[in-house]
Structures are given as structure tokens and as C-alpha cells.
Amino acid sequence: MAVKRETVTFTSLSKEIKGGKFRNIYVLQGEEPYFIDRLQELIINSALTEDQRDFNLSLYYGNTANVREVISACQQYPAFSQHKVVVVREAQLIAKQPGHKNDLDLFESYALKPLPSTILVICHKGGALKSKPLTDALKSAGSGVVFSSNKVREGRDLETMIVSYASSLGCNIDSKATSMLADHIGTDISRQFSELDKLAILSEDHNITPLLIERNVGISKDFNTFELEDALARRNALKALRIADYFERNPKNNPIQPVVAMLASFFSSALIASTAHDKSPEGVMALVGTSSVWRARKFIDATRMYNTRSLINIISYLRECDTRSKGIGSRQDQYALLKELIYKILHA
């Protein structure tokens, strides 16, 4: 039975592979290379031991690969192993042979009747694989799966991915911890997963908390941009200035430009939240595009303290500070600029 493309996720496919359930053919395509690299590595490590790879692992690269040779390798039986793995890396570079519109189309006949003991992995980076004959053959024969590795966007997509990956590791992660990782690391997926792998090992009760992140990722639980957001959202001047002082004493870990950028994102979302007809956390989550109830409540707190005109002025102050912090029109100390910005926000 063919697998519907839209139901395939990195987490579900990883779980399947780790469980020893393999497809005959994997087409891994898309703009986010990390997921493609991770899955093809996982397939190799799960299907073959190191001793089995000398005879049962065939690696090809798109700039030199001949599709007919690849298919020939796929039709060979494994030696001293249950599986033979054939991987085509950088398949987007496969050159067209004379007389063929697309050499990837040559995989069509193999996809219709693959050798059961062979696992073929086609890694196509930078976009979707353009071979309708191949993808149609996969669907009709049910011989493989197509996984689309899309770029992860900041906001709801990133937060959902963090929660999903933590869950695949057998861990729970609360909203604040999720936002801390999302805002501090961003869409560097390799680092996100590396940090989550580490946190899952260090968590004794399978809960990834802000305290655990503070101790092991290098984000202060009490003095970070999330706490500065909270202080400004509640117009807590004392707390906001204490955090600014901490940033000034620890400039290496708290450069001003990312702080200003994150505050700009926060107050822009608060401005959007101020226009919501449904100002419940659920209503704001849907409008702003976040899966974090914790952040939605912070946006709501900000709208209670600042009216729409104030929020517009704050965004203007943030843009001005960003420009001046980069040396355009000002050589003032960066942390003096931050404290000036905080004063303007609190009095907006």
C-alpha cells in the first residue's frame, strides 16, 4: 500500500527506521538539508552494522553517478546481511544523458519492481525531485516513500518541531522551555536537535524544563531576553534594568542586536494581538501564529499595559536602536543604548 506523502514526518519516519521497518525506496527531497542528511545516516546505521558496510553499502554522488549503474547495484543481493543499502547523494546534480529528458525517470522501472532486500535512498536537496514517472511508480507500486524536507519557519512551525522531537525522545517540554530554545537557537535545526538530545539524556524525570536548559545550554533562567520581554510587558522597570545590567556584565552571551531583534518580534506580535477580536490565549495563538500558550499570555499582558499607539511607537524605538547599535548615526555604548531603549518603552 502506498504511503501518502502528506502524512510522512521526520519524527514518524525516524521512529519507523529505528524500529527496523524499512521501505524499499526513500526519496528524501527539499530545501532543509539537515533532515535529509539525518534520515539517510539513520537508514545506514539502522540497516547495516559497520562490518556489513564493506559489502552492502554503495554510495553514489549526483555529479558522477550513472543511473543505470545505480540500478544495477540495487539489483544485487546482499552478502552476509539482510539488506543492501544504495544511497544517491546530491541527486539534483545528476546529469541528463543524451536522449533522456530526466535521468531520474530511469528509476521508474525499478520502482515498479524493486528487489525486496535492497534499500534505495535518493537524496535530492534544494527542492522537489522533478520526475513524475518515478513518483507515480512509487505510489502505484507502494514500493517507497517520498519525504519533503521543508525549511522550518520561526514561530508555530519551530515550536511544534521542538515539542515533537522532544516527544520522540520520550520527554515532555513545557511552553517556556520551548520558547527559550526557539528564541535562543532559532532555526539552526542541527543545533536544536543536538541540544535536545543532550537535554533528554540529562533529564532524570523525562521533563525538559527552563532550569535544565539554564544549567546545560547556557541561557540564564532569570536574566535572558524572555525575562526582559516579561518585565517590559508588565512595565516592571526594576526587573528590566537589572536584566540590562546583567547583559552589560556578560556581553559575550548577550550582544545587543539579537536582543533588539527579539524584542521587535515580541512587540510586533503584541501589536497584532491588540487587534484581535478574541483576546483569549487561544484566539491570540491563532492570530499571531504560535503554539505556545505561555507566549500568547505575554502578548496579552503587553496589550493591557500598552495601547495600540504606544506599541507602534515602541516598534519605532526598536528600529532606531537597531540602527544606532550598528554604528549608523551613533557611536554610543551599546548597553547605554539598550537602557535608553528600555526607558522609552516603559514610558511609551
Side-chain angles (χ1 to χ4, degrees), residues 56 126 134 153 162 171 173 202 221 230 232 249 257 265:
N56 300 291
L134 172 55
R153 295 174 295 180
I162 291 171
C171 292
I173 181 167
L202 295 171
K221 179 171 64 69
D230 184 69
L232 293 173
R249 294 194 303 271
Q257 285 83 9
S265 175

Side-chain angles (χ1 to χ4, degrees), residues 133-151:
L134 172 55
T135 53
D136 285 350
L138 290 172
K139 290 177 183 178
S140 63
S143 55
V145 63
V146 177
F147 168 75
S148 294
S149 179
N150 300 318
K151 280 285 187 184

Side-chain angles (χ1 to χ4, degrees), residues 50 80 93 127-128 141 156 192 196 257 259 265 298 301:
E50 286 198 26
F80 312 109
L93 300 178
R156 185 189 294 272
Q192 283 285 5
L196 284 165
Q257 285 83 9
V259 173
S265 175
K298 285 177 68 173
D301 287 341

